[in-house]
């Protein structure tokens, strides 16, 4: 028994040592509730960077690449869809937790936390690019759209916008703006079946829109179809909705799903459709050259969702015992890179244009093969973006997150 003090209360145990405050240069890491998802986020970052290296080299700067390599590289577009799905899952999980614990959505807190998390670094990078770029008349006219995260409503050519890669950030911010209303509606529904029906219809809506636009706008060039469907809100939010569906499945039926997935044949039942979708995504000409555009219509959100949802369920519910894939994806290094991921995405394209392209053109003039140049450009872009992302994190993101904690909790 513990000794009592003179007034009969229990003597306190020896106080735990107060941990020293972290130094100013330390990272403020992302929430680690789902460690393996950090590894997935990093793989998505790398896939997006490799896509942009190939796109800028081959299609914009005229740097010759092996044709089969370039086609294969740009076929791996679906890292962006993984970002969308993870956003839907994480934000959906946060809102479901809020409803479960308090019974309501604290909209003020939700919006303040999103604003402090995403706006400052984006505005800093946009302001820097405005200052160092000789803007065209069109870019000046469109700048308010970029400031307000409406980039994906604009034509995304380099002469029209400053941060054309901000289209995906705009799509996510528009999602953040509207998702509380969706959850309010879902909360008012009386049955789980109706909730999943509504989410299913929402998930199908972008596919229906893509099909309508495709069939009513033919004939399309591949680039024309890409510009019309790939970047627009109405045709690209299905992966985000799939993430919300995944959050609902985990929150409502996570325990049952985990038990069901302990049986090997059940895991195979989920793995097969994911693998089939990946096979189609990697071979868009699988059904013949005349159907490639139809494959794109279904691929940009639908097939990626069907691939990622079962794959993430398998990842979130490994077989009993230590899972090597989870251990790999949950490594500390991935957590660190994922913490800097937002900054990396913001700066990786300016770094490509200003550092990697001149470097590789100089190497090409000296007779170096692009089998050397492309990997070097990828490594330089990743390393440089990590370094600049770290500076952004320390000087912009970390103070903003500290202020967020003070204002929004």
């Amino acid at each position: 028994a513990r000794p009592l003090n003179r007034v009969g209360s229990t003597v306190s145990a020896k106080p735990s040592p107060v941990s020293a405050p972290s130094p100013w240069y330390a990272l403020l890491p992302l929430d680690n509730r789902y460690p393996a998802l950090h590894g997935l986020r990093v793989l998505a970052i790398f896939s997006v960077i490799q896509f942009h290296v190939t796109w800028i080299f081959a299609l914009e700067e005229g740097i010759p690449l092996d044709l089969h390599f370039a086609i294969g590289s740009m076929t791996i577009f679906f890292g962006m869809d993984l970002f969308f799905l993870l956003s839907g899952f994480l934000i959906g999980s946060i809102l479901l937790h809020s409803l479960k614990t308090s019974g309501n959505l604290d909209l003020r807190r939700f919006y303040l936390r999103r604003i402090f998390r995403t706006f400052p670094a984006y505005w800093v990078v946009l302001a820097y690019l405005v200052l160092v770029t000789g803007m065209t008349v069109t870019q000046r006219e469109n700048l308010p759209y970029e400031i307000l995260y409406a980039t994906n409503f604009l034509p995304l050519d380099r002469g029209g916008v400053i941060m054309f890669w901000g289209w995906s950030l705009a799509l996510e911010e528009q999602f953040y703006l509207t998702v509380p209303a969706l959850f309010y509606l879902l909360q008012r529904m009386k049955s789980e079946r109706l909730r999943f029906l509504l989410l299913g219809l929402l998930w199908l809506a972008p596919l229906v829109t893509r099909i309508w636009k495709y069939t009513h706008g033919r004939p399309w060039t591949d680039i024309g179809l890409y510009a019309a469907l790939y970047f627009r809100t109405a045709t690209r939010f299905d992966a985000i909705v799939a993430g919300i569906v995944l959050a609902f499945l985990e929150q409502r039926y996570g325990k049952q799903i985990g038990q069901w997935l302990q049986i090997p044949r059940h895991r195979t039942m989920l793995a097969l459709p994911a693998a089939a979708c990946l096979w189609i995504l990697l071979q868009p000409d699988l059904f013949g050259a005349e159907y490639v555009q139809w494959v794109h219509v279904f691929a940009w959100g639908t097939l990626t969702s069907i691939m990622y949802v079962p794959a993430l369920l398998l990842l979130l519910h490994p077989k009993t015992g230590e899972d090597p894939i989870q251990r790999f994806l949950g490594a500390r290094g991935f957590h660190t890179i994922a913490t800097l991921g937002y900054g990396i995405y913001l700066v990786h394209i300016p770094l490509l244009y200003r550092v990697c392209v001149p470097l590789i053109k100089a190497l090409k003039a000296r007779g170096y093969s692009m089998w050397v140049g492309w990997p070097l450009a990828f490594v330089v872009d990743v390393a440089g973006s990590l370094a600049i992302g770290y500076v952004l994190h320390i000087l912009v993101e970390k103070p903003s997150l500290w202020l967020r904690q003070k204002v929004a909790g």
Side-chain angles (χ1 to χ4, degrees), residues 196 290 310:
F196 279 107
E290 66 273 24

Side-chain angles (χ1 to χ4, degrees), residues 14 36 58 125 143 152 156 160 185 241 260 317 350 367 390 397 405:
K14 185 178 179 179
V125 173
L143 186 57
N152 59 341
L156 297 180
L185 181 60
V241 175
W260 187 77
H317 299 281
Y390 171 74
E397 289 185 302
Q405 186 65 26

